Amino acid sequence: MIVDLIGLFHPDAMPHIDVAVWCDVDLDTAARRGMARDRRLGRDHDRLWRDVWIPNERDFEARFAPRGGAVVFSAG
């Protein structure tokens, strides 16, 4: 099973994951792409992106450094 979720890189979850792959895209680019995808799907999530998801991603990365526990690929 493949799951796309930064929260799975939490230290409590990592012992239960066989392979962790980090696709390295800066948060601003990922957020722009996510918002555009949501708009194409008719979802108005811009406020959630700005007020909840982006701050949560920054906080999680600062607290747990998830990139260090994964195989890293760079994507543009």
Side-chain angles (χ1 to χ4, degrees), residues 21-41:
V21 177
W22 182 270
C23 294
D24 203 18
V25 178
D26 67 274
L27 184 55
D28 291 334
T29 299
R32 243 187 355 267
R33 291 176 180 173
M35 285 188 269
R37 176 205 58 221
D38 288 350
R39 283 187 215 112
R40 281 192 309 274
L41 294 172

Side-chain angles (χ1 to χ4, degrees), residues 3-76:
V3 180
D4 173 16
L5 178 69
I6 190 172
L8 286 178
F9 286 83
H10 190 281
D12 292 342
M14 290 303 290
H16 306 287
I17 297 174
D18 294 323
V19 177
V21 177
W22 182 270
C23 294
D24 203 18
V25 178
D26 67 274
L27 184 55
D28 291 334
T29 299
R32 243 187 355 267
R33 291 176 180 173
M35 285 188 269
R37 176 205 58 221
D38 288 350
R39 283 187 215 112
R40 281 192 309 274
L41 294 172
R43 299 175 184 150
D44 182 11
H45 289 164
D46 285 11
R47 187 168 158 218
L48 279 171
W49 276 97
R50 284 189 311 271
D51 298 345
V52 178
W53 296 331
I54 292 171
N56 285 349
E57 297 279 321
R58 286 192 175 119
D59 179 62
F60 189 88
E61 187 172 0
R63 292 179 63 203
F64 300 112
R67 188 178 195 269
V71 176
V72 177
F73 293 93
S74 185

